[in-house]
Amino acid sequence: MYQITHLPNGLTIATAEMPHMTSVSLGLWVGVGSRYEAAELNGVCHFIEHLLFKGTKKRTAKEISQAVEGIGGYLNAFTSEEATCFHARACYDRFEDLLDVLMDMLHNSRFSPVEIAKERQVIKEEIAMYLDEPQHLVQELLNATIWPKHPLGRPITGTNETLDGLDRNKLVAYLRGNYVAAKSVLVATGKVKHQQVIKAASRYARHFQNGAAPKSVPAIDGQNAPRLKLFTKDTEQTQLALGIRTCSRHDDRRYALRLLNTILGENMSSRLFQIIREDHGLAYSIYSTPSFFEDTGDLVISAGLDTDNLPKTLRLILRELRRLGETAPSAAELRRARDYVLGQIDLGQESTENQMNWIGEQLLGYGRVFSPSEVKRRLRQVTSGQIRAVARDFFRPDRFNLALVSPLKSANRLAKALSF
């Protein structure tokens, strides 16, 4: 299903042919994100992402949008901790139009000083918007708590101060030095032929910068006790985010952790949703999410609730974490969790965009693409005992990090609760 070709300059071409579809999704991935940034350059990858939409040598910013939206397509981009992706989707017969736009953006953007100044202000407004959203603010506060003085703990957007220090020379130098062929992957999924993509992409290959793949700063584990960080803000609710350091994407325990997360808080059937919302009515929204990086990972439990309910909610959350380490889930609970995850994988395969993300993330993260059948096989092999074992490995006080955005002036009385 997946075909992969490495061009002589190091650029990787990957496709998933879906002949029954009428669309094609195209993603230009670069294995560089916020964790590759020095402290003084925090936000540079996200800034570059914005600027690549601001005009090239042959298209204005408006013409970039029109070139895709004018053919009924969709164009967007995102920056994460370890990758940046520019992606587009349109009818399959417009594949070469999409490719030309994405390649033009990456290789011919002007980085006009006027546009840099305007976009710097736009990103500052984006940062201000996030800071006004307690659900987002608490996640940034949590990252800084889990990964103190490390790039993973810094905001992907950067800060007002670091943005002011990013001028045209620094932006262009970072792009040329890090967005290199060896770290780039072009992914096409949908009604498209692999050889068609290779032939079209080869015309642009010479424009990619050569050079060694950039290196990131290792995430050193120096935590030996729970951490708690409170941001006092006049809000109607307290936003809670409990982050637990786990394992990297290369650790085989990730399969058991994926199922554990489903049991714990991924959906409405999960323990946390049923206990916190359905049984006790303490929160409207509560969920858990795992993240896996090159050398570390985390599992985050998030909730919004009345401040008076915070102590009880935290006790119930910690009780469930303790239970998972003490007692393996039943065969029926494990089966439901597994069937849910397998079903989500199957549903995701129906979308050209999901397929594009699946391939891009895995090629950058692993250097290969795991087929859905391979991932499903590994998930089917997970036992209840393995789920209990990963809970024991990770659900420990020296891995707990609690962030709160709340009207509370102090959260010292909650610190003891984190010590089980």
Side-chain angles (χ1 to χ4, degrees):
M1 183 177 184
Y2 304 119
Q3 292 182 270
I4 301 167
T5 297
H6 303 285
L7 298 186
N9 70 334
L11 175 65
T12 298
I13 309 294
T15 61
E17 296 183 17
M18 305 167 70
H20 56 288
M21 304 299 287
T22 58
S23 68
V24 60
S25 287
L26 190 62
L28 183 53
W29 293 76
V30 185
V32 181
S34 61
R35 77 168 298 182
Y36 289 82
E37 301 166 351
E40 66 274 12
L41 296 177
N42 180 214
V44 66
C45 292
H46 179 256
F47 204 161
I48 289 171
E49 175 211 315
H50 274 236
L51 289 170
L52 296 198
F53 286 83
K54 297 292 110 179
T56 70
K57 295 174 183 176
K58 69 176 183 178
R59 292 182 175 97
T60 64
K62 184 177 181 180
E63 287 168 342
I64 288 173
S65 299
Q66 290 176 336
V68 176
E69 294 174 352
I71 59 173
Y74 169 81
L75 176 67
N76 211 334
F78 62 84
T79 303
S80 68
E81 292 86 353
E82 296 183 332
T84 304
C85 177
F86 303 88
H87 56 99
R89 181 169 176 255
C91 189
Y92 73 94
D93 60 353
R94 298 291 191 162
F95 159 71
E96 296 213 13
D97 295 319
L98 300 182
L99 180 63
D100 186 68
V101 171
L102 292 181
M103 291 296 185
D104 187 34
M105 289 168 60
L106 181 62
H107 300 304
N108 301 315
S109 285
R110 299 181 65 89
F111 285 82
S112 158
V114 173
E115 293 296 340
I116 290 173
K118 285 196 298 186
E119 209 60 26
R120 181 183 289 115
Q121 189 58 40
V122 167
I123 297 173
K124 287 182 178 181
E125 292 298 330
E126 181 181 0
I127 292 170
M129 177 185 72
Y130 290 147
L131 293 178
D132 278 344
E133 296 175 354
Q135 300 97 321
H136 185 96
L137 177 58
V138 76
Q139 297 299 328
E140 293 208 345
L141 187 66
L142 177 64
N143 289 338
T145 306
I146 301 176
W147 325 111
K149 299 179 181 179
H150 187 274
L152 286 173
R154 300 180 196 135
I156 291 173
T157 54
T159 66
N160 288 349
E161 292 73 25
T162 59
L163 289 173
D164 285 338
L166 295 174
D167 59 20
R168 187 180 191 279
N169 289 338
K170 290 178 182 177
L171 290 159
V172 173
Y174 195 90
L175 176 69
R176 290 176 177 170
N178 294 278
Y179 291 51
V180 297
K183 257 311 199 185
S184 301
V185 177
L186 179 68
V187 182
T189 57
K191 192 170 182 177
V192 66
K193 297 289 186 182
H194 186 70
Q195 290 303 318
Q196 171 194 1
V197 180
I198 293 175
K199 181 179 178 181
S202 296
R203 297 197 296 267
Y204 302 91
R206 63 185 176 85
H207 297 295
F208 279 82
Q209 298 288 329
N210 294 318
K215 303 292 185 183
S216 62
V217 178
I220 305 300
D221 172 16
Q223 186 174 359
N224 53 27
R227 299 185 185 126
L228 188 153
K229 190 73 66 73
L230 168 68
F231 185 94
T232 300
K233 187 178 177 69
D234 186 15
T235 56
E236 294 295 321
Q237 282 189 318
T238 285
Q239 292 295 324
L240 169 156
L242 177 63
I244 304 163
R245 288 185 300 101
T246 58
C247 59
S248 81
R249 61 171 166 265
H250 302 288
D251 194 312
D252 283 344
R253 291 176 294 178
R254 69 188 185 275
Y255 296 103
L257 188 61
R258 180 72 178 82
L259 294 179
L260 181 152
N261 179 70
T262 303
I263 291 169
L264 178 65
E266 185 166 345
N267 55 30
M268 290 190 294
S269 304
S270 68
R271 292 185 182 187
L272 291 181
F273 189 94
Q274 289 296 313
I275 292 166
I276 303 299
R277 174 169 165 163
E278 299 299 317
D279 294 349
H280 294 275
L282 295 172
Y284 171 73
S285 172
I286 183 164
Y287 57 93
S288 61
T289 308
S291 297
F292 300 102
F293 303 112
E294 176 66 21
D295 53 354
T296 189
D298 63 24
L299 186 149
V300 177
I301 299 166
S302 304
L305 59 151
D306 188 285
T307 303
D308 291 340
N309 293 330
L310 177 57
K312 182 177 182 179
T313 301
L314 186 58
R315 285 198 303 271
L316 290 171
I317 291 171
L318 293 169
R319 187 191 73 180
E320 289 311 307
L321 297 183
R322 191 183 308 114
R323 276 185 57 206
L324 281 164
E326 292 172 349
T327 306
S330 68
E333 190 173 30
L334 173 57
R335 183 182 65 252
R336 287 193 298 269
R338 181 184 289 120
D339 287 348
Y340 173 82
V341 175
L342 298 182
Q344 293 298 298
I345 292 173
D346 287 337
L347 292 176
Q349 302 309 304
E350 295 181 348
S351 159
T352 61
E353 192 162 8
N354 285 350
Q355 285 275 13
M356 184 271 294
N357 286 322
W358 177 283
I359 296 171
E361 289 172 358
Q362 294 196 33
L363 276 175
L364 287 180
Y366 299 102
R368 58 163 291 196
V369 179
F370 290 85
S371 69
S373 60
E374 184 176 359
V375 174
K376 288 160 66 175
R377 176 179 61 80
R378 295 295 299 270
L379 289 167
R380 290 190 182 100
Q381 292 172 346
V382 173
T383 66
S384 293
Q386 288 172 330
I387 291 177
R388 181 179 59 186
V390 296
R392 287 177 173 173
D393 287 345
F394 301 133
F395 294 168
R396 306 195 322 248
D398 62 350
R399 291 176 172 268
F400 290 168
N401 299 269
L402 178 63
L404 301 168
V405 174
S406 171
L408 287 173
K409 299 295 189 292
S410 171
N412 292 336
R413 64 194 178 101
L414 297 174
K416 284 186 178 180
L418 296 176
S419 298
F420 268 7

